[in-house]
């Protein structure tokens, strides 16, 4: 993206040193936004922020963040707000991948997915939502998944966390819109390119798209219908499964 369509927007991104979070930061920077990256790997986060600022210009800061600790999450957003002079967008991009089949997965592995993929998204959405409602505007973007709509064999707990994120996003989208806060849930297809997911996230913010947005493997994205049965058919059709 080359047009500065989001010039001056202030964006905090969790999981910002890796994968989708990192690509999302690049996409927002290209659109002219100021960025605060948060990640558990503090050294890498700061190095990525410095590299992005040096190569692309603009304000990019790297901050320590443990999304599973609500106090540290609150501190991250407060520091991001101070560094950027406010916040307009929070992207909950931190993600714990599935580790194996349900029966072989350890309790600790399951807990880690639940903590990162669900509890942290609830925490981030609540902290951002309170801040945005108070200021009268803001945009929360959460990362769901195709398996949060259709489920996936061999990734039961991961699917469960993403189903919960989709449900959370639907409820928040309906409940916060009248208070000036948009909530988008991005549902990437199977094995999507991080760049395509990042483009969908930035597109949601640019065009103020709330609700569930599906991203098939080929990268086209659209806002899905809120009706659950039609939603599932839409997802399956876009993924080429019907």
């Amino acid at each position: 993206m080359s047009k500065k369509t989001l010039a001056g927007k202030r964006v905090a991104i969790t999981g910002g040193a890796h994968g989708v979070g990192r690509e999302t930061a690049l996409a927002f920077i290209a659109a002219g936004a100021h960025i605060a990256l948060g990640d558990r790997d503090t050294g890498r986060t700061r190095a990525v922020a410095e590299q992005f600022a040096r190569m692309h210009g603009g304000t990019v800061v790297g901050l320590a963040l443990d999304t599973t600790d609500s106090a540290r999450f609150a501190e991250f957003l407060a520091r991001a707000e101070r560094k950027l002079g406010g916040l307009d967008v929070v992207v909950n991009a931190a993600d714990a991948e599935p580790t194996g089949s349900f029966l072989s997965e350890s309790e600790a592995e399951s807990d880690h997915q639940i903590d990162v993929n669900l509890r942290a998204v609830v925490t981030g959405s609540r902290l951002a939502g309170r801040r945005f409602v108070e200021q009268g505007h803001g945009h929360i973007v959460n990362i769901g998944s195709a398996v949060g709509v259709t489920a996936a064999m061999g990734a039961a707990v991961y699917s469960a966390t993403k189903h919960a994120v989709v449900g959370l996003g639907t409820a928040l989208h309906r409940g916060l819109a009248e208070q000036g806060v948009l909530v988008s849930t991005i549902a990437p297809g199977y094995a999507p390119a991080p760049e395509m997911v990042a483009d969908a996230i930035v597109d949601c913010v640019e065009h103020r798209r709330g609700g569930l947005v599906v991203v098939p493997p080929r990268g086209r994205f659209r806002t899905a219908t809120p009706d659950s049965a039609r939603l599932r058919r839409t997802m399956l059709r876009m993924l080429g499964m019907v």
Side-chain angles (χ1 to χ4, degrees):
M1 296 186 181
S2 57
K3 296 181 179 179
K4 304 298 184 181
T5 53
L6 295 175
K9 286 288 185 181
R10 300 154 301 183
V11 184
I13 304 171
T14 74
H18 303 84
V20 168
R22 182 179 183 276
E23 293 302 326
T24 298
L26 276 174
F28 272 115
I29 291 167
H34 304 304
I35 308 297
L37 304 178
D39 204 287
R40 294 187 69 174
D41 188 341
T42 307
R44 179 176 173 82
T45 305
R46 289 174 178 164
V48 168
E50 290 172 2
Q51 179 188 41
F52 285 178
R54 185 170 60 252
M55 293 176 61
H56 305 284
T59 302
V60 188
V61 296
L63 304 172
L65 170 63
D66 180 355
T67 60
T68 65
D69 185 316
S70 59
R72 292 183 180 180
F73 207 141
E75 182 182 356
F76 162 69
L77 290 181
R79 292 185 66 197
E81 191 170 40
R82 289 195 300 270
K83 293 283 188 179
L84 302 181
L87 281 178
D88 303 297
V89 182
V90 171
V91 181
N92 290 304
D95 186 76
E97 297 181 351
T99 57
S101 69
F102 179 71
L103 297 181
S104 64
E105 191 173 273
S106 70
E107 185 175 345
E109 289 169 331
S110 295
D111 284 346
H112 181 61
Q113 293 175 73
I114 293 168
D115 286 343
V116 174
N117 297 346
L118 177 55
R119 289 196 181 100
V121 175
V122 171
T123 298
S125 297
R126 180 177 290 122
L127 291 170
R130 287 171 175 166
R131 177 177 273 100
F132 291 161
V133 165
E134 182 177 352
Q135 68 188 25
H137 67 88
H139 200 145
I140 301 167
V141 183
N142 296 329
I143 311 301
S145 171
V147 304
V149 178
T150 62
M153 295 179 62
V157 173
Y158 185 82
S159 294
T161 64
K162 295 302 183 178
H163 270 273
V165 168
V166 170
L168 174 73
T170 300
L172 294 180
H173 170 57
R174 294 171 178 169
L176 295 179
E178 62 184 22
Q179 300 180 72
V181 181
L182 289 175
V183 180
S184 304
T185 305
I186 308 299
Y190 300 102
E195 297 88 346
M196 294 177 179
V197 181
D199 284 347
I201 293 170
V202 173
D203 179 81
C204 282
V205 176
E206 285 180 333
H207 296 98
R208 295 183 55 79
R209 303 182 198 276
L212 180 63
V213 176
V214 295
V215 186
R218 289 185 295 275
R220 296 193 304 273
F221 43 87
R222 56 171 288 186
T223 303
T225 169
D227 177 79
S228 60
R230 293 173 61 197
L231 172 65
R232 187 174 186 277
R233 289 196 298 271
T234 297
M235 175 66 81
L236 291 171
R237 184 168 59 254
M238 296 182 74
L239 295 176
M241 296 174 65
V242 295

